[in-house]
Amino acid sequence: MSILQDIYNDSYYPCEPLEHMPQKLRDKQLAFYEKIEEAMGVEFMEQHWDDLCEIDRFRDFTNFRQGFRLGVSLLLELL
């Protein structure tokens, strides 16, 4: 089956969908990080935050790459 047919039939799943966190939960998360910073120190928290940013960049690139592949596959089907 083609990708266009899969999309039309609602059976195309490029990867697990990423969920956006509601603001209320984000605020709780930030409060949690502030408590960790108080207990563990600024250096620890900065390193942890850098690691989290690296994870986010990897996830964003993976999603971009999958979207790019989808776009190329759809264009190739039109040929």
Side-chain angles (χ1 to χ4, degrees), residues 42-58:
V42 175
E43 256 184 60
F44 172 82
M45 199 58 212
E46 286 177 353
Q47 180 60 49
H48 180 66
W49 196 257
D50 290 344
D51 294 342
L52 289 176
C53 290
E54 186 178 346
I55 291 167
D56 283 345
R57 283 191 300 272
F58 175 78

Side-chain angles (χ1 to χ4, degrees), residues 7 11 14 17 28 32 40 45 51 59 61 64 75 78-79:
I7 293 171
S11 60
K28 285 183 179 181
F32 173 73
M40 302 292 287
M45 199 58 212
D51 294 342
R59 183 184 59 212
F61 177 73
F64 171 78
L75 288 172
L78 292 175
L79 296 177

